Amino acid sequence: ETVQSEDIGIELNAFDNRLHFEGTYYNKTTKDLMTFVDRSSLGIPNELINGGSLRNWGEEFLASWKQNFSRDFSMDLSGNITFLKNKVLSLAKDIPTGILDRSFENNGTAVSRTQAGHPIGSFYGYEQIGVFQSYADIIKSPSESSLGAVRPGDRKFADLNGDGVIDASDRTFIGNPTPDFMYGMSVTLNYKNISLDIDGEGVYGADIFRTWNSLESPFQRVNYAAFQLDRWHGAGTSNWEPIISQQDRVNYNGSTYNIEDGSYFRLRNIQLSYSISSNALNTIHIKGIRLYANAQNIKTWKHNHGYTPEYGGDATAFGYDNAGGAIPYIITFGFSATF
């Protein structure tokens, strides 16, 4: 790979160095991307190639403030935010159709698409516009027979090309797993021998693709989510949550129904500590003792139904909630001694 990168920034200290500020604009273009090409549909071996180009650009800001309120009381406050934009500029010429699809297997429908002009690994699928309320509703709507048998209570998708039939050509970009921006904050309060440290972080604007309770999966066969109490069970009962049924295969097609808001803020860590001064420890030849209590992952403010809004993956397929990823809430106590 070849990387071309430009950065321009400013660094500022003011108010007797109590304020520190950094601001940076970055623009990074990667050419000859290392790309894994799935050629199984063509009956030839898969291959790792150099092909395509990708651009990442945005702004990063960091600021901190130090304040001494008195001889015994002080505060350190800091925050950072990173804005990120991402676009595929091109793909290798020998990638069929100029599109790189990654599938979460679902009736053969690919739901992660990397295509020139769009963010990498964008979610791709159907636009759900409602739920069929009756057979009359089905008859007057574009046919979904190519996706599976349809009955009242099944999902209704948009006919984007207007040909009167819902098929793969009606899929579109339905979400972007890359956030608009990421941010973090920390504060430290010191009063005499007591110290309190708090930090948190979050993202805004990322999309999550929920696979459980929306695609065919083992979880759906043995249990259902609480929000499915609002499922369709008769005309007018729901226009979004479909009928609960294993036989309605049409409902397993990836669509905007799967997309959830991945924005969140997490209170990542709180630590309270007390340091015993060395003067009190001289008689036992100890320089210092520090006692502390620490709590991690205390609270997450989020919008999705899963355990967490953070989901990884790989370079071209990420942001999938596969009903995992629960993050533990951890409390620890301890002490350290310096001799």
Side-chain angles (χ1 to χ4, degrees):
E1 295 184 345
T2 302
V3 176
Q4 177 181 335
S5 180
E6 302 88 30
D7 298 87
I8 184 170
I10 184 173
E11 185 173 339
L12 171 69
N13 290 295
F15 305 107
D16 296 325
N17 290 323
R18 286 179 293 171
L19 172 66
H20 176 76
F21 173 82
E22 296 178 15
T24 303
Y25 170 80
Y26 63 93
N27 183 16
K28 176 183 176 182
T29 300
T30 304
K31 300 179 180 180
D32 297 322
L33 286 166
M34 295 291 290
T35 306
F36 179 80
V37 183
D38 184 354
R39 304 180 186 277
S40 57
S41 61
L42 304 178
I44 56 179
N46 299 331
E47 187 178 2
L48 184 65
I49 65 172
N50 283 96
S53 57
L54 173 70
R55 182 188 176 206
N56 291 285
W57 74 101
E59 303 82 31
E60 296 179 337
F61 301 99
L62 179 149
S64 63
W65 180 271
K66 296 182 178 181
Q67 181 69 49
N68 293 320
F69 298 99
S70 68
R71 180 179 178 180
D72 296 325
F73 184 34
S74 64
M75 177 188 72
D76 290 344
L77 180 67
S78 66
N80 63 279
I81 187 169
T82 299
F83 296 90
L84 172 64
K85 289 176 279 292
N86 168 286
K87 184 167 70 172
V88 178
L89 303 179
S90 65
L91 289 178
K93 294 181 180 179
D94 57 348
I95 293 180
T97 72
I99 295 171
L100 180 62
D101 279 342
R102 296 290 301 280
S103 298
F104 183 93
E105 284 306 325
N106 161 39
N107 291 346
T109 303
V111 291
S112 275
R113 172 161 289 193
T114 297
Q115 181 177 339
H118 296 274
I120 193 167
S122 295
F123 299 129
Y124 195 77
Y126 297 94
E127 286 188 7
Q128 180 173 326
I129 57 175
V131 171
F132 290 114
Q133 301 298 319
S134 64
Y135 282 104
D137 190 9
I138 295 173
I139 292 172
K140 68 180 182 182
S141 300
S143 172
E144 296 185 7
S145 60
S146 65
L147 306 183
V150 180
R151 62 170 172 161
D154 289 335
R155 295 177 188 157
K156 182 191 296 186
F157 301 122
D159 181 14
L160 297 183
N161 62 7
D163 63 357
V165 176
I166 306 297
D167 55 23
S169 62
D170 292 299
R171 292 177 298 160
T172 187
F173 290 95
I174 58 176
N176 178 11
T178 301
D180 296 333
F181 60 85
M182 302 168 286
Y183 60 98
M185 55 77 63
S186 67
V187 59
T188 299
L189 299 173
N190 296 297
Y191 179 72
K192 294 186 176 179
N193 294 342
I194 300 173
S195 179
L196 176 65
D197 297 279
I198 303 172
D199 66 80
E201 53 87 22
V203 306
Y204 178 82
D207 291 318
I208 293 171
F209 193 103
R210 187 185 76 248
T211 62
W212 56 274
N213 290 97
S214 51
L215 301 182
E216 173 71 351
S217 70
F219 306 103
Q220 190 166 342
R221 297 182 179 184
V222 297
N223 201 3
Y224 293 92
F227 62 80
Q228 289 184 286
L229 290 171
D230 297 324
R231 86 285 183 199
W232 188 95
H233 56 277
T237 55
S238 173
N239 199 36
W240 183 256
E241 201 65 46
I243 189 172
I244 290 181
S245 171
Q246 293 297 317
Q247 69 183 33
D248 294 53
R249 312 302 299 178
V250 67
N251 292 329
Y252 296 140
N253 288 278
S255 71
T256 48
Y257 175 85
N258 304 83
I259 303 299
E260 294 189 328
D261 183 1
S263 303
Y264 74 92
F265 176 77
R266 172 170 289 136
L267 193 55
R268 179 72 73 179
N269 191 77
I270 294 181
Q271 184 172 105
L272 180 65
S273 63
Y274 178 77
S275 298
I276 301 175
S277 63
S278 59
N279 292 334
L281 301 172
N282 287 337
T283 57
I284 55 175
H285 306 289
I286 296 178
K287 294 181 179 180
I289 290 179
R290 179 172 174 268
L291 308 174
Y292 67 89
N294 189 85
Q296 300 178 44
N297 305 319
I298 301 164
K299 174 68 176 178
T300 300
W301 289 267
K302 63 185 184 68
H303 306 282
N304 66 307
H305 287 98
Y307 293 118
T308 175
E310 296 176 281
Y311 297 100
D314 58 39
T316 56
F318 54 98
Y320 289 98
D321 177 1
N322 296 323
I327 295 179
Y329 171 40
I330 302 172
I331 298 178
T332 56
F333 301 91
F335 75 95
S336 59
T338 303
F339 295 92

